[in-house]
Amino acid sequence: MSTAIVLTIVIGGTVLLLGAVLAFVLWIRRRVARTALAAPDGLAGEAARRGWTVVERDDSLIPLYDRQYDRRSRWEPLTHPPRATAARDVITGSHRGREFVAATFDTVHQGRHQPERAIWVAAPAAHPMLGIRPSAAASNAVNRAIGLGGIRTGNPEFDARFEVLAEDERFAEAVVTPALVEFLLRDSRPWRAVSLRGEYLDVADPVRDHRDPAELVAALDLRCDILDRMPTWA
């Protein structure tokens, strides 16, 4: 076989391969674009059915974001709190009788600009700051020893697996009820932290897109399930 024929076969095969790769990349991009467009369309119908308000941007929420972080707890670093510069993809309304705010905030913290997804459900009233997070038993014990939290609930399994950080120990003992302890031990939904700060309850959970009605409703349900197991305080 001549060199020219071999080169023709190699070049032709390369061109065909590159064409196939390009076609695949374009197909993936079109699929992603269709998926990205589907979320707002589905959200519009769900929002209309539930009476939610959806806006592309609402910077009037910037002071609301900043207010949540104006209070600094003793277990947080002594740095300037994060500040919001914009609020995008904002959804507000009520779910299971509780007001909520879901949005992506553009934030600045320690010189870094980054987006922060927030899905906040209103707490019954003003409250001391409180956080619950999975933690090794040793870490929990150390934090108790140095006065950074580690509130004991009296449930050995919970106290070994979770850490309760609180500004007010009596408040923590009142709201971290046996019903909430049992729920957090047995519920299978993934989360990294539960926090009461400012005016809302938030959960660090793996929500990819809060504009997706299924993801948003599931996230709101988790937060409401937690609040349902806390007594209403005034």
Side-chain angles (χ1 to χ4, degrees):
M1 184 178 294
S2 69
T3 302
I5 294 175
V6 172
L7 288 174
T8 300
I9 293 173
V10 171
I11 293 172
T14 302
V15 170
L16 288 174
L17 178 61
L18 290 174
V21 170
L22 178 60
F24 179 72
V25 169
L26 292 174
W27 176 79
I28 289 293
R29 286 183 176 178
R30 287 195 296 269
R31 186 178 180 88
V32 169
R34 287 196 299 268
T35 302
L37 291 172
D41 290 344
L43 175 62
E46 189 70 12
R49 187 176 72 83
R50 293 175 177 268
W52 295 347
T53 298
V54 180
V55 295
E56 184 176 346
R57 182 163 176 167
D58 183 0
D59 289 351
S60 69
L61 293 178
I62 290 175
L64 176 67
Y65 176 93
D66 292 349
R67 193 162 64 242
Q68 307 313 302
Y69 290 93
D70 282 341
R71 297 167 59 199
R72 308 294 288 169
S73 71
R74 64 178 181 271
W75 62 81
E76 291 178 318
L78 296 176
T79 60
H80 292 295
R83 303 284 88 170
T85 59
R88 298 179 288 105
D89 297 322
V90 177
I91 307 166
T92 56
S94 64
H95 182 72
R96 288 168 49 176
R98 293 188 172 93
E99 298 300 311
F100 75 88
V101 174
T104 297
F105 289 96
D106 294 336
T107 69
V108 181
H109 188 218
Q110 297 182 336
R112 295 180 58 189
H113 296 255
Q114 58 188 16
E116 180 184 328
R117 186 266 296 154
I119 302 176
W120 298 338
V121 174
H127 52 79
M129 291 174 63
L130 180 144
I132 304 171
R133 65 189 184 192
S135 177
S139 172
N140 204 5
V142 169
N143 282 334
R144 279 199 302 269
I146 62 178
L148 291 181
I151 305 300
R152 286 191 177 94
T153 66
N155 183 306
E157 182 183 1
F158 184 89
D159 291 343
R161 290 175 50 189
F162 296 94
E163 182 174 47
V164 180
L165 304 174
E167 290 183 320
D168 186 322
E169 186 170 342
R170 288 180 298 177
F171 176 75
E173 291 171 348
V175 300
V176 184
T177 62
L180 178 60
V181 165
E182 189 66 20
F183 170 77
L184 294 177
L185 282 172
R186 308 303 169 208
D187 191 79
S188 61
R189 287 169 288 188
W191 56 274
R192 300 186 310 278
V194 174
S195 60
L196 277 169
R197 68 179 309 142
E199 301 140 64
Y200 295 90
L201 180 138
D202 195 11
V203 178
D205 50 356
V207 176
R208 294 171 298 178
D209 187 350
H210 70 276
R211 301 171 306 158
D212 182 329
E215 286 203 88
L216 178 57
V217 169
L220 293 172
D221 277 336
L222 175 57
R223 289 152 178 76
C224 288
D225 286 343
I226 292 170
L227 285 168
D228 282 348
R229 289 162 175 82
M230 292 181 173
T232 300
W233 64 88

